[in-house]
Amino acid sequence: MQGKKIIITGASGGIGKETAEVLAARGAQVTIASRNVRRGEDAKADILKRIPHAHLDVEHCDLASLTSVHAFAQTYREKHGHLYALINNAGVVTVKRESTEDSFEKMLGVNHIGHFYLTTKLLPLLNGEDNARIITLSSGAYKWGAIDFADPHLEAFGIWKGYARSKLANVLFTIELARRLKTSFVNAVSVHPGATSTEIGVNRDTGFGQTIHDVLRPFLKTAREGAQTSIYLASTRELVNGGYYYEGGKRQALKKKALDHALAKELWAWSEMEILRRGFTIEAV
Ligand SMILES: NC(=O)c1ccc[n+]([C@@H]2O[C@H](COP(=O)([O-])OP(=O)(O)OC[C@H]3O[C@@H](n4cnc5c(N)ncnc54)[C@H](OP(=O)(O)O)[C@@H]3O)[C@@H](O)[C@H]2O)c1
């Protein structure tokens, strides 16, 4: 991994931070793309205590804002000529219906749309690198997800409904991206990290949701264990383009709904159109 440039979204905590620590320990140059720079800097300082030689940068990137994603990608492209791995790791669960700055329902807006836009912006840098990869964190929850274009902004809100659909979107995005990258040297894969003790779903301001995490902790993987599949996929040369991985690097067959190529294309076209409608440009992939 020596000198490999890697971006990890949401590496200020949880699975992303553990992934950043291990990859930086192996010599990668890791950029922590964080919505909250203070939390990103705290994560960096904590990692440096154990890995003093770690090469870590913290940059602001709020996936709930297309303006912020655009600014982050632009700055990264200006500073760095190439990118080896983009790890689309950040994720949110909201307990009530919330919207992003650009009026997307928040779980779809952050987990899918923000990463969709970021990926298209950074692809030119990945295209220039041998064996580059885009690793997107999904979840086994995708199996319960549905994409309903009649209610794209989830007016009929449900927590599980919203989260599962965003995680199905992550897998559909990956299989359509993999198809588009078939003739390139870039691979796209998705991940189920397994049920892991992190801060997912915990309200950062009020702490709401922490108690249930504390109760469940003994039954869950540690964040380091949950990071193993991302770490493997960032490190191996044996990637299968479009593959869905779990348990530290095993491949799992996707359920039929996630292999619906017509739906994956439709979601891609919808995502692109919604971003363009908001005045942002998308590079052809
Ligand atoms: N934990 C599990 O059991 C589990 C299971 C299956 C899949 N996953 C997936 O694994 C990934 C990592 O989750 P985790 O469990 O590590 O959760 P976590 O501890 O809550 O960490 C999530 C990270 O995403 C960041 N984030 C949230 N909203 C963001 C935004 N608008 N822009 C940029 N970053 C944002 C958070 O930043 P702040 O530090 O600012 O809050 C944090 O760094 C997610 O995609 C999740 O869906 C987790």
Side-chain angles (χ1 to χ4, degrees), residues 64 92-100 102-113 151-155 157-159 161-163 165-166 270 278:
V92 280
V93 174
T94 67
V95 293
K96 55 182 174 43
R97 194 185 172 288
E98 293 180 33
S99 295
T100 67
D102 309 286
S103 304
F104 291 99
E105 182 280 322
K106 198 165 187 178
M107 290 185 268
L108 193 76
V110 170
N111 303 356
H112 166 62
I113 292 286
D151 184 18
H153 302 299
L154 211 64
E155 301 304 335
F157 181 79
I159 304 169
K161 187 177 170 187
Y163 183 66
R165 109 171 153 148
S166 77
W270 178 84
R278 287 159 173 82

Side-chain angles (χ1 to χ4, degrees), residues 10-16 35-36 39 61-64 89-92 110 137-139 163 167 192-196 198-200 204:
S12 52
I15 292 166
R35 66 172 164 179
N36 179 327
R39 274 177 61 89
C61 179
D62 183 354
L63 291 154
N89 164 83
V92 280
V110 170
L137 279 272
S138 176
S139 161
Y163 183 66
K167 294 289 123 181
H192 170 45
T196 305
T198 62
E199 289 183 280
I200 192 104
R204 303 297 196 256

Side-chain angles (χ1 to χ4, degrees), residues 50-258:
R50 290 176 295 282
I51 322 287
H53 68 273
H55 189 306
L56 293 162
D57 294 319
V58 179
E59 299 286 351
H60 182 247
C61 179
D62 183 354
L63 291 154
S65 159
L66 294 173
T67 304
S68 172
V69 173
H70 179 270
F72 166 74
Q74 193 71 22
T75 308
Y76 194 91
R77 282 173 68 157
E78 282 160 16
K79 276 200 206 160
H80 305 266
H82 50 100
L83 177 62
Y84 167 74
L86 169 63
I87 307 184
N88 289 323
N89 164 83
V92 280
V93 174
T94 67
V95 293
K96 55 182 174 43
R97 194 185 172 288
E98 293 180 33
S99 295
T100 67
E101 186 176 287
D102 309 286
S103 304
F104 291 99
E105 182 280 322
K106 198 165 187 178
M107 290 185 268
L108 193 76
V110 170
N111 303 356
H112 166 62
I113 292 286
H115 285 131
F116 175 94
Y117 187 50
L118 180 64
T119 304
T120 60
K121 287 282 157 207
L122 292 173
L123 256 177
L125 296 189
L126 290 149
N127 269 324
E129 180 90 355
D130 177 40
N131 214 7
R133 68 262 334 256
I134 298 148
I135 299 163
T136 300
L137 279 272
S138 176
S139 161
Y142 88 81
K143 293 167 194 160
W144 289 271
I147 308 287
D148 177 7
F149 291 106
D151 184 18
H153 302 299
L154 211 64
E155 301 304 335
F157 181 79
I159 304 169
W160 184 244
K161 187 177 170 187
Y163 183 66
R165 109 171 153 148
S166 77
K167 294 289 123 181
L168 175 61
N170 289 147
V171 179
L172 292 169
F173 162 66
T174 299
I175 64 159
E176 175 59 10
L177 181 61
R179 191 188 66 77
R180 289 170 184 244
L181 293 174
K182 216 162 44 186
T183 55
S184 79
F185 294 108
V186 185
N187 286 308
V189 291
S190 60
V191 176
H192 170 45
T196 305
S197 176
T198 62
E199 289 183 280
I200 192 104
V202 176
N203 186 303
R204 303 297 196 256
D205 300 322
T206 62
F208 182 78
Q210 188 60 56
T211 312
I212 187 150
H213 269 272
D214 294 342
V215 172
L216 290 175
R217 184 166 298 121
F219 307 102
L220 302 176
K221 292 182 183 185
T222 63
R224 178 62 63 93
E225 288 165 346
Q228 291 309 309
T229 308
S230 301
I231 293 164
Y232 168 80
L233 294 173
S235 312
T236 183
R237 289 190 75 83
E238 309 297 319
L239 283 181
V240 175
N241 192 28
Y244 173 77
Y245 290 83
Y246 76 131
E247 283 188 3
K250 292 184 194 158
R251 265 189 80 203
Q252 189 176 62
L254 284 163
K255 297 283 177 201
K256 207 167 147 203
K257 66 165 67 172

